[in-house]
Every structure is written in structure tokens, then in C-alpha cells.
Amino acid sequence: GAGGRVDMLESSTVVWLRSAAREASYRLARFLPESSDAVQPDSPIHVLGAVVEASAEATAEVQACVRACLWFTYRQHFEPIPGTVFTSDAGWGCMMRSGQMILAQALLRLSAGGGGAGASLERREAATVALFADCLAAP
């Protein structure tokens, strides 16, 4: 029946997502340093373009940089994704939400220049986050 097709779709989607995650991990691992000696304790810390010099105050500065970033997390109770019964992305949405955060942060930075410079940070953040709403009508 229809329930079996949905279960099969969910199962094949989960298998595909797991395979894609393994492949991405394998490909990314090729670019990691061979040893932990590649990063020195006094190296500057980079957080999305902000550079924090290693110091006693570095932890607080890094935390402030991270807190200033847009954060997207798992969602639930949204409209079902067409062709599925998914109303939550728990367990499979981490890559999607990570990509959305990177894109949203880039859009927010772009909106600070040019025509968006006059808008307050709060208004620009609200407009950027609205682009990623969990509804079919969202852009």
C-alpha cells in the first residue's frame, strides 16, 4: 500500500543521506593536516572573517564572534516536505542547516554594504532569517 511506499522512500532517503555524509567526510578528511602540530597554540583564531589574536582574552572574543553569527538548528512541526511525510529534520538536517547558516551569514554581510547599509542590524538579520523559513512559500 501507500504506507509501504512511504517507508521505502524514507528508508532510501536515509540510506542516501548517510552515504552522502560518509562521502563528504572522506573527501574533507583529505584536506586536514596530517598532524596536530600544524596548528600552533599562539596562532590567530579565525571566525568567519574575524581574526582574534591568541591571548588571555581570546576565549571571550571568540565567544562574542560566534554569538554574533546567525544560528539555525533542527526544526520540527513544519509542513511536510513534498513527496514525503517529513515534518522534522532531526537526524538528517545538520548538513542542510549548516549550509543555510553559511549562506545566511554571507547574505547578511552582503546586505551591510551597498543598499543595505542604512538598515539596522536587527532589520537585516530579520530579513535574512525570513528567507530560510520552513514553509513552502519561503523563497
Side-chain angles (χ1 to χ4, degrees):
R5 280 191 302 238
V6 170
D7 291 342
M8 200 167 88
L9 175 64
E10 287 179 14
S11 175
S12 65
T13 301
V14 169
V15 168
W16 181 86
L17 287 170
R18 284 185 182 148
S19 174
R22 270 190 242 108
E23 178 70 14
S25 295
Y26 168 75
R27 288 176 184 240
L28 289 173
R30 296 184 309 178
F31 298 103
L32 296 175
E34 296 275 334
S35 74
S36 60
D37 296 334
V39 178
Q40 301 299 319
D42 58 348
S43 297
I45 302 163
H46 298 261
V47 180
L48 290 173
V51 180
V52 178
E53 294 300 326
S55 69
E57 298 81 29
T59 299
E61 288 182 60
V62 169
Q63 287 175 343
C65 290
V66 171
R67 284 190 188 110
C69 296
L70 296 174
W71 288 93
F72 297 170
T73 185
Y74 290 113
R75 305 284 170 50
Q76 59 186 358
H77 307 299
F78 52 76
E79 297 173 54
I81 297 170
T84 75
V85 295
F86 293 125
T87 59
S88 168
D89 63 357
W92 58 269
C94 58
M95 292 298 289
M96 179 179 65
R97 298 301 176 187
S98 297
Q100 287 178 331
M101 285 189 295
I102 292 168
L103 178 58
Q105 196 67 39
L107 292 171
L108 185 61
R109 285 177 178 233
L110 285 172
S111 73
S120 71
L121 176 60
E122 292 80 16
R123 291 174 105 187
R124 290 186 296 111
E125 283 180 343
T128 301
V129 170
L131 295 172
F132 298 90
D134 288 318
C135 65
L136 299 177

